[in-house]
Amino acid sequence: MNIINKILNVDDYYFDVFMSISEALTGFTVNELQSTGLAETYYTYVLKCLEAATFVEFLTVSKNILESSSGEEELKKAIQSEIIAHPGMNDISGKVITMWYLGTWEGAYINDLSYKEGLVWNLMHSHPPGAKQPGYKSWNIKPVNTQS
Amino acid sequence: MNPTHNKKDVIIVGTGIAGSLIAKLLSDHVFDATKGKMVHRADAGKSDNIREISILMYEAGLEAGIELDSVSSMTTYNEYIRTFYREEAKVPNSPYPNLKQAPSPNVLDMEHIVQPYPDKKGYLVQFGPMPFASDAIRVGGGTTLHWLGTTPRMLPNDFKLTEKYGIKIPKPDSDEKTAVDWPISYEELRPYYEMAEFEIGVSGDVSRQEYPITEKTEEYYGNYVFPMEEIPQSYMDHKIIEGLKGTSVKLSSGEIPLMMVPSPQGRNSIPNPKYGKTKVIKAEPKDSGYKLVLDSSEKEEYKALGSVWNPYMGERCEGNASCVPICPVQAKYNALKTLKKALYKMNDNDNLSRNLFMQIQAQSVVYKLSIDQNDSHKISKVHLRKYISKEKTDFVEESIDTSDAIVILAANAFENPKILLNSKYTTPEGVKTAANSSDQVGRNLMDHMVMLTWGLFPEPVYPYRGPGSTTNISSFRDGEFRKDFSAWISPLDNWGWGWPAFSPGSDVAYFIKEKHFGAELREKLTDRLSKQVLFHFEIEQLPNPNNRVTINDEYLDVLGIPRPVIHYELTEYEMKAMEQAKDASDQMFKRLNITDFTKYTAEDKNSVIYNGVRYSYNGAGHIVGTHRMGSKAEESVTDSYCKTWDHPNLYVVGAGNMTTLGTSNPTLTLSAFTIRSVESILADLEIQLKK
């Protein structure tokens, strides 16, 4: 089930594009991204912060890449050549990655939740300082969520 | 007696740990007019002849910060936490109100100093040559709101550097040298350390404390256990200890064996059953004066004290990993806990009720004292400016008559000297400033120079978890080398490269810039962040009369009160310690196969070149020394009870009293001698109340 609210006057379709390209850029699955509870907030936030035309261009490029790449390798190469190698696109992709990883846009937190849900803490098997505390003595052992 | 009666027995300036400890201990005692003695409440009985001590405290911070009923304190504190979440630069002061009427020094304001022009960007006016790198916060509860909570005691030799190592420092504006021994010994302070550890609620294991001292643990600690069990050491600590255990490093002074010690800390763990019942700090009357003792209370078991608004919240450290700047559940001790015990006392029904003899007036910036030369130079007035609201800078000028009260300056080591230096009075010998016949007020400003080294451990050690630091290397805290260079303590830091390199944000930025994305980015970051280790070298600074706080009419805050003007520099003694510490770091990194990422550059705000090599350091937040205690009036501001030599009713307490800094975080030590000062204050009160 994929219920997406109509967001501003941009076609809903772009939200899915935003999530899919976020997945490819961050290395976190759409499900993981959704579980931050911030997907919609981030999407509308970027819409507000960037010129609509710029964001739409980024999403259009992303959409083409996502649609035309058949495998992961192909997608990676396409992102490299269409986004990373292109200064304007690369700037936006960097900002989007940072937003997911740290919860900030140009250095400022988007809201309280964005600080707490920065994905960087997940990948280091930690938690945002001052929130989502793991409990007494937890730091004494290897994090329980490590695979090894 | 009418509790709202205007006359106050004691006026305390500042609600930080020093002021709160005194308010709490004094308000636990009452004057028994029949006996003519101060007695502990518990022993006072129901005599009609009991007189309460009336106390008024002034706090420069906002009213909200000292409203300690459950609802208000929770509301205010949650506001601090929300601010912390949203601040990009999560520096020590970031959660707390930044007031223009009572500004706080902030590490973000520190700049390079291009002489002769001072850096005056923030609250401090810094003339250098080096910027003073530490901050403090002017808020209810003081800087304990953002302290780390590490509580090692000082070592016996720290109190007698002259006697032991022949260290002397120049007298102000003179080539003559003077001693730096404290007027009290470790031995004398030891019982008060125990009282401080009780009040703060220290977790630790005495049997695991290992220091380079000649005294045995039994002599150093006595037959003693900390109130609570040791805070578990981090996973990272274990990995580092495994790699370093049984080894030593070679310095210019010779081989030094490495001791990795679990740090005693002022944060809640599990109450130690061996500690026994909870205790009370009470004064035992002597023929002359009083002796404070830590007495077992039969009433209840020792319990960890949680947050100010809910004692059951924060009974254990829950690993929020944000001790600096804020513990969300107050498992880490802060002075508001002690302040609340002064404000609320148990009534006959064992319920807390508001102590009507204790008042706190917030938004009140004390800036000057008046001195009555016709009455043995007593402090006759305390002057303050009370501002109306956070937004407005209008203020009401107020003063309070203190001619028959005891005045206690309990602000931080910038503010106490600032107030004293601003209290001018004319005598036949010329213009003097309060408590300053020794010319030592504002001098000997010290801090620990925190040299950081950082690198990547060969395997994941999972930092960014747990209290800021749970282990320290204590090998360099004392030794013959102190004749030659500073001692230091080396805490291991559990928070990755956050401090020196702004990690993890800078790592994210770095790998994005390196054009990584997707799974590869995720892997690179995971690898880098789970292996980060950080070593500290907290280097002792000796008192130096030229390192000082002064004031100058050219630099005023918005209330028209002088800002602290700082002169600060390093000596070779300290720079050599940096060289030696870096050498020790290199040897330890090599042994642990740590890839060194340490980088000191000219852009660093605090950077020195010694023997052709650059070293950079940070402040430790250990602002001490500006109103030193001593055994002679000519060489110090106060005696060993923090009572000024010059004024019979003025005490100056806090970290500023420290004669030397040693290698421990200063809060525990300042708490110990501040508690001890209460013996003298009670004796003075007895005389006052008998009148």
Side-chain angles (χ1 to χ4, degrees), chain B residues 237-264:
Chain B
D237 290 348
H238 293 303
K239 288 284 167 188
I240 292 171
I241 292 166
E242 246 170 62
L244 292 179
K245 211 173 174 182
T247 70
S248 56
V249 296
K250 205 170 174 187
L251 299 183
S252 69
S253 59
E255 290 266 322
I256 298 189
L258 294 175
M259 311 168 180
M260 275 78 62
V261 178
S263 305

Side-chain angles (χ1 to χ4, degrees), chain A residues 23-29 32 75-77 79-80 84-85 90 93-95 97-98 101-102 104 106-112 115-116 120-121 123-144 146 148, chain B residues 81-82 84-90 229-236 238 268-270 316-322 326 328-329 460 462-467 470 494 503-506 508-509 512 515-522 525-526 529-530:
Chain A
E23 177 179 74
L25 289 172
T26 60
F28 282 86
T29 65
E32 286 173 304
L75 178 61
K76 197 177 152 187
K77 280 195 181 122
I79 289 175
Q80 260 156 354
I84 305 295
N90 184 40
S93 82
K95 283 177 170 163
I97 294 171
T98 306
Y101 271 71
L102 298 171
T104 58
E106 291 183 347
Y109 289 103
I110 286 150
N111 58 29
D112 288 9
Y115 165 68
K116 293 182 199 170
V120 72
W121 306 106
L123 53 82
M124 64 168 94
H125 307 289
S126 183
H127 64 100
K132 297 162 110 177
Q133 70 284 352
Y136 183 66
K137 217 174 173 173
S138 56
W139 56 89
N140 180 247
I141 52 165
K142 193 183 252 194
V144 287
T146 48
S148 53
Chain B
I81 294 165
R82 280 204 66 198
F84 162 71
Y85 288 157
R86 285 164 172 266
E87 284 291 321
E88 193 212 348
K90 298 193 182 317
E229 288 172 7
E230 183 180 294
I231 291 277
Q233 290 168 287
S234 68
Y235 178 76
M236 183 199 79
H238 293 303
N268 292 330
S269 68
I270 298 167
R316 303 281 178 278
C317 171
E318 52 188 34
N320 268 292
S322 59
I326 191 162
V329 294
Y462 305 105
Y464 295 96
R465 302 180 310 142
T470 37
N494 290 327
S503 290
S506 61
V508 172
I512 289 174
K515 306 196 179 221
H516 295 295
F517 63 91
E520 200 183 76
L521 171 67
R522 198 175 158 161
L525 273 169
T526 305
L529 291 165
S530 58

Side-chain angles (χ1 to χ4, degrees), chain B residues 344-380:
Chain B
Y344 292 86
K345 300 290 179 195
M346 286 290 183
N347 63 17
D348 294 344
N349 304 321
D350 268 358
N351 290 322
L352 282 182
S353 63
R354 184 73 172 75
N355 171 11
L356 297 175
F357 298 89
M358 164 97 194
Q359 283 183 329
I360 310 180
Q361 186 182 315
Q363 299 179 189
S364 299
V365 187
V366 171
Y367 71 97
K368 195 171 78 172
L369 310 172
S370 288
I371 289 112
D372 184 352
Q373 294 175 72
N374 299 320
D375 189 6
S376 57
H377 293 240
K378 269 177 117 173
I379 303 302
S380 57

Side-chain angles (χ1 to χ4, degrees), chain A residues 50-122:
Chain A
L50 291 178
E51 258 183 65
T54 314
F55 193 33
V56 169
E57 193 198 340
F58 174 74
L59 292 173
T60 307
V61 170
S62 301
K63 172 175 162 269
N64 292 339
I65 293 170
L66 290 161
E67 281 173 357
S68 59
S69 310
S70 55
E72 252 184 60
E73 263 316 296
E74 224 175 285
L75 178 61
K76 197 177 152 187
K77 280 195 181 122
I79 289 175
Q80 260 156 354
S81 59
E82 304 289 319
I83 295 180
I84 305 295
H86 181 291
M89 291 292 110
N90 184 40
D91 179 53
I92 299 173
S93 82
K95 283 177 170 163
V96 169
I97 294 171
T98 306
M99 182 166 65
W100 287 111
Y101 271 71
L102 298 171
T104 58
W105 185 267
E106 291 183 347
Y109 289 103
I110 286 150
N111 58 29
D112 288 9
L113 192 61
S114 79
Y115 165 68
K116 293 182 199 170
E117 295 296 334
L119 292 168
V120 72
W121 306 106
N122 297 11

Side-chain angles (χ1 to χ4, degrees), chain B residues 424-468:
Chain B
K424 297 191 178 81
Y425 62 115
T426 313
T427 68
E429 300 96 64
V431 177
K432 285 187 172 183
T433 53
N436 201 16
S437 59
S438 61
D439 188 23
Q440 292 287 356
V441 169
R443 293 187 185 270
N444 314 304
L445 172 67
M446 293 175 264
D447 191 5
H448 283 122
M449 280 141 298
V450 183
M451 193 178 79
L452 302 170
T453 59
W454 59 102
L456 290 182
F457 207 77
E459 59 175 297
V461 286
Y462 305 105
Y464 295 96
R465 302 180 310 142

